[in-house]
Amino acid sequence: MGERGAAAQLRWAIFSIIAIAVTMAFLFPIYWSFSQSLRNPADTFTVAGFGIPWVNFDPTLENWLDQVGTPETTRALYNSTVISVSAAILALVLGTPAAYAIARFQFRTWKNQDITIWFLSQRILPPVATVIPFYLIMRSLNLLDTHLALILINATFILPFVVVILRQTFLELPVELEESALVDGANYWVAFWRVALPLAAPTMAATGLIIFAFSWNEFLFAVAISSQNVITIPVHIAGAVDTRGVQFWFMGVRAMVAVIPPVLIALIAQRYIVRGLTLGAVKG
Amino acid sequence: MRWTSRVRFLFLAPAVVWVLLFTIFPLGYSLFIAFNKIEQTMQVERVKEPVLNEAGEPVLNSKGEPRTRNVVIRNSVTTTEFVGWSNFTRLFSDPQVREAIQVTSVFVFIAVPIELGLGFMIALLFNRPIMGRSALRAIMILPIFATPIAMGYSFFTIFYEEGGPLSFTGIPWLSDPGWALFSVAVVDIWQWTPFCFLVFLAALQGVPDELLEAARIDGASAVDILTKVLLPLLQPTIIIVLLLRIAEAVKLFDIPFALTGGGPGVATQSYSFLAFRTGLRFFDLGYASAMAYGLLAVVMVIVLFFFRRLRQNYG
C-alpha cells in the first residue's frame, strides 16, 4: 500500500506542477500589462524578460496617477458604467418574463424550443450585419454619439443570454410552489412576481453581472456609434494609439482599467459562467 | 405539464417586440440597402454672413456698409440609387473579399481546433486530484472576460519584436504576413481555450465515477477510457462548443483591429473587419450590407448544420 501511495503522491505532485504552469501561462498576458503599468517609460524598452517588480525594475505608480486622473479616462469609465448598467437592467427587465413564459407556459404555433432558438440565433448573428443598418437608423433619429443608442444596442445583444439562462433556472425551480399559489387564488403575475422571481434572484444577479461584462467589453458598435460624447473604455483604448503611437506604460494602465471590472466579475460569478457562455446549452 | 393561458403572450411580448425592433427590422432595412448604391458626398458652400456685435446689430465698416465674413457650410448629401443584385455579384469578383474570406477561414481552422483540443487536455488535467484546483480554475477563467480590445493591445506589446518578452524567439510575430495571422490566432486561443476548458471540465465532472471504475476493472487502458468512454459521453458537449466557437470565430474583429490593424498589408484583414471598413470608414454602405449578408448566410448554414442538436438541447 505504501508503494502505491508514494506513486500516487508523485503523480499528484507532477500533475499539480503542470497545472500551475499552464495556469500561469494563461495569466501571463494580464500580468504583463499590469507589470508595464508600473514601469517607468525607460524600463518598458530596456527590460527584456518577464518584468518582475523590484527585480527587473523599480515600480512606480506615476502612470496610474497620470492616466486615471485624465478627464478622458474618467469620462470613458463613466460612459462604460452608465451604458453597461442600463443595458443589463433593460435586458433583465425584458428577458426575465420571456424566460419565465418559455419555461412555464405551453406555446403551440411556435413551439417553446423554437422560440428559445429564435432568441439564441440573435447571439449567433454576426454583429457586423446589424451595425450598418443600426448606424443609419441612429443617424436618421439623430441619436449618433448618444448613450441611448449604445444602451439600446447592448441590451439587444445581451438579451438572448437572459432568456436562455433564466429559462433553464425557472425550469429547475420546483413548480409546486407556484401552483399552490395559483390554487390559493393568485394569478400568473403574482405567481411569477412573488414566488418564482425571489427564488431566481441569485441567478438573475449573476446573469446581470455577466451581461454587464459583455456590454463593458463591446467594441464594434461602440466605435461605430461614438465620436466624442460616448467614448467607452474599449474605444478610449483604441483611440489612444492613433494619436500618440503605442505608449506601452500608459497602455498598461488603460488595459488594466478596462480589464479589472470584467475580470472581477468573472471571479464573482464563476459558478454561472458555463451556463452563461454556452447560453444554457450545457448545464454547469 | 405546462400551463396555458393568454397571459403567456404578455410575458413573452416585450422581448419579442424588442428583437423585432432592434434586430429583425435593421436586418430588413439592411437588405434594402444592399440593393442600393448609397453615396455620401460633402457639399461645400461659401456664403457671406453679416458680422453682428454683442447687441445683435450689424457692424458697419469704414464706408458705412455692413461688414461681412465668409462662412463655409458643409452639408453631407446622401444619394440612394437602386442597383439590383450588383452589390452581391460584385462580392464574387472582389479580390479583397476573397482575401478576407481566406484570412477568416485560415484563422478559424487554426484557432478553433487548437482551442477545443487544448481545452479538452487541460480539462482532463484539472479533472485529476491536483493542488489548489479551485483557485487555479478561477484564474484559468479570467481570459474569457478580459476586454478583447485591451488584450489585443496588451498582446501587441508582448509580440513587440524589439524588446518584448517574446523577442528572444526571433520570430517576426507581427511583421510577417503568415506569422501575423498566427499571432491573431494566438490571442484568440489565449482568450477562448479557457472557455472550452471550463465547459469540458463541467462535463467531465458529470461523468459518474462508477463508470470509469468499471472500465478500469475490465482492464481498459487510459486511451481506451478516453476514446471509448469519455469522448462518446462528451460528444453532445463537444458539438455545442464547436458550434459556438465557429460561430464566434467567423466574427473575428476586435483582435486584428487592436493587434495588427489588419496588416501587414491585408494579411489579417478579416471578413468582418473588411465589411466594417467598407461600410463605416469608406461609407460604401450598400456594398458593405451585401457583404454582411454574405457572412450571415455562412453563419446560417453553420447553425442549420447543428440545428437538430440545438433543438435537443433546448427541448
Side-chain angles (χ1 to χ4, degrees):
Chain A
M1 215 49 205
E3 291 271 308
R4 225 185 127 190
Q9 269 195 335
L10 184 65
R11 257 204 308 263
W12 179 83
I14 290 171
F15 283 115
S16 296
I17 289 167
I18 299 173
I20 291 168
V22 169
T23 310
M24 290 306 124
F26 275 89
L27 187 62
F28 176 74
I30 296 175
Y31 164 75
W32 178 251
S33 276
F34 178 64
S35 157
Q36 280 194 321
S37 74
L38 298 178
R39 299 183 200 191
N40 287 310
D43 289 330
T44 33
F45 293 104
T46 54
V47 180
F50 297 101
I52 302 160
W54 288 289
V55 177
N56 288 48
F57 65 93
D58 288 325
T60 166
L61 281 176
E62 216 163 291
N63 303 323
W64 280 87
L65 298 175
D66 250 32
Q67 269 298 294
V68 178
T70 62
E72 289 85 9
T73 306
T74 38
R75 180 99 191 122
L77 274 171
Y78 168 78
N79 288 336
S80 276
T81 310
V82 168
I83 291 165
S84 306
V85 169
S86 315
I89 292 172
L90 190 53
L92 281 173
V93 169
L94 290 163
T96 312
Y100 186 73
I102 301 169
R104 286 286 183 261
F105 294 101
Q106 182 82 53
F107 290 90
R108 288 192 212 87
T109 0
W110 294 90
K111 293 202 171 59
N112 293 50
Q113 53 184 344
D114 292 334
I115 300 172
T116 315
I117 292 174
W118 186 69
F119 279 111
L120 174 78
S121 65
Q122 289 281 108
R123 178 58 197 146
I124 293 172
L125 183 82
V128 80
T130 49
V131 72
I132 293 159
F134 192 77
Y135 169 84
L136 287 171
I137 291 166
M138 288 304 147
R139 194 177 68 176
S140 56
L141 296 175
N142 247 334
L143 287 175
L144 282 185
D145 206 21
T146 62
H147 289 94
L148 181 61
L150 282 182
I151 292 168
L152 297 178
I153 194 68
N154 278 317
T156 306
F157 88 84
I158 57 185
L159 181 61
F161 289 95
V162 178
V163 173
V164 181
I165 300 170
L166 288 176
R167 165 192 162 275
Q168 187 64 37
T169 309
F170 287 126
L171 281 176
E172 285 165 14
L173 291 181
V175 69
E176 290 78 16
L177 286 172
E178 287 147 77
E179 273 168 352
S180 63
L182 292 174
V183 169
D184 289 345
N187 59 31
Y188 285 115
W189 173 251
V190 174
F192 165 68
W193 186 251
R194 291 282 175 78
V195 184
L197 213 51
L199 291 170
T203 323
M204 282 180 71
T207 309
L209 284 176
I210 292 172
I211 59 180
F212 168 90
F214 288 149
S215 295
W216 180 275
N217 287 347
E218 204 283 326
F219 176 68
L220 177 61
F221 284 96
V223 79
I225 297 302
S226 69
S227 50
Q228 209 177 336
N229 292 324
V230 290
I231 305 283
T232 60
I233 285 284
V235 179
H236 177 53
I237 292 174
V241 182
D242 293 343
T243 49
R244 291 182 228 163
V246 182
Q247 291 172 301
F248 290 177
W249 50 102
F250 284 152
M251 194 47 80
V253 178
R254 289 186 185 197
M256 290 320 287
V257 169
V259 163
I260 286 170
V263 153
L264 283 180
I265 284 172
L267 288 175
I268 297 167
Q270 277 194 61
R271 271 182 56 206
Y272 299 91
I273 285 175
V274 170
R275 184 179 295 170
L277 290 169
T278 58
L279 297 136
V282 177
K283 289 175 203 168
Chain B
M1 197 46 207
R2 275 171 167 166
W3 312 334
T4 45
S5 155
R6 289 203 177 280
V7 182
R8 67 188 191 271
F9 295 111
L10 289 179
F11 279 93
L12 193 61
V16 170
V17 171
W18 191 273
V19 174
L20 291 174
L21 265 179
F22 290 101
T23 306
I24 308 297
F25 171 67
L27 281 179
Y29 183 45
S30 174
L31 190 61
F32 164 77
I33 297 168
F35 286 104
N36 288 279
K37 186 173 178 61
I38 295 186
E39 272 182 344
Q40 274 194 324
T41 39
M42 264 318 175
Q43 277 187 350
V44 182
E45 256 182 288
R46 280 169 215 285
V47 273
K48 284 192 187 298
E49 197 183 71
V51 179
L52 304 178
N53 65 15
E54 276 164 25
E57 294 151 352
V59 179
L60 304 180
N61 63 13
S62 51
K63 292 177 195 159
E65 295 159 346
R67 254 169 67 183
T68 58
R69 62 178 168 198
N70 288 321
V71 181
V72 177
I73 299 175
R74 287 169 204 277
N75 275 319
S76 136
V77 179
T78 312
T79 54
T80 309
E81 184 200 342
F82 182 76
V83 291
W85 287 95
S86 74
N87 283 326
F88 288 95
T89 50
R90 194 176 148 196
L91 277 177
F92 294 98
S93 55
D94 187 339
Q96 274 202 307
V97 168
R98 205 173 310 136
E99 277 158 352
I101 292 174
Q102 203 185 337
V103 165
T104 310
S105 11
V106 170
F107 163 79
V108 172
F109 277 107
I110 300 174
V112 173
I114 295 181
E115 284 159 17
L116 262 76
L118 202 57
F120 195 84
M121 276 162 33
I122 303 174
L124 285 176
L125 176 66
F126 275 63
N127 198 35
R128 304 180 59 93
I130 49 166
M131 188 166 68
R133 183 162 63 184
S134 54
L136 293 180
R137 197 191 75 130
I139 298 172
M140 278 298 295
I141 297 171
L142 301 183
I144 308 173
F145 278 77
T147 315
I149 209 85
M151 295 316 295
Y153 287 112
S154 181
F155 268 93
F156 177 83
T157 70
I158 290 175
F159 289 132
Y160 195 65
E161 283 159 34
E162 289 150 36
L166 293 179
S167 54
F168 70 91
T169 58
I171 292 170
W173 294 103
L174 299 175
S175 56
D176 175 84
W179 279 107
L181 185 54
F182 179 72
S183 303
V184 168
V186 167
V187 182
D188 199 74
I189 291 165
W190 172 78
Q191 186 141 48
W192 291 106
T193 298
F195 162 70
C196 301
F197 149 75
L198 192 60
V199 179
F200 290 142
L201 183 65
L204 280 174
Q205 288 177 342
V207 174
D209 285 338
E210 299 84 46
L211 209 65
L212 302 177
E213 205 55 45
R216 268 187 217 110
I217 289 168
D218 289 347
S221 67
V223 176
D224 282 342
I225 291 180
L226 180 66
T227 55
K228 299 204 177 114
V229 182
L230 292 180
L231 284 177
L233 268 177
L234 264 57
Q235 195 208 12
T237 311
I238 294 170
I239 289 174
I240 286 292
V241 174
L242 185 66
L243 164 68
L244 289 170
R245 277 318 306 144
I246 295 176
E248 290 276 331
V250 295
K251 303 175 193 169
L252 176 69
F253 177 75
D254 294 23
I255 301 169
F257 189 103
L259 188 67
T260 58
V266 291
T268 56
Q269 176 161 273
S270 68
Y271 193 86
S272 285
F273 196 90
L274 177 65
F276 175 84
R277 295 223 304 185
T278 308
L280 296 173
R281 287 292 172 267
F282 305 129
F283 289 101
D284 194 347
L285 292 155
Y287 187 39
S289 293
M291 255 184 219
Y293 263 88
L295 183 59
L296 191 60
V298 173
V299 174
M300 294 264 274
V301 170
I302 299 169
V303 173
L304 285 178
F305 185 71
F306 288 96
F307 187 69
R308 194 184 301 220
R309 173 65 62 196
L310 277 175
R311 269 185 74 105
Q312 282 167 10
N313 277 280
Y314 294 100

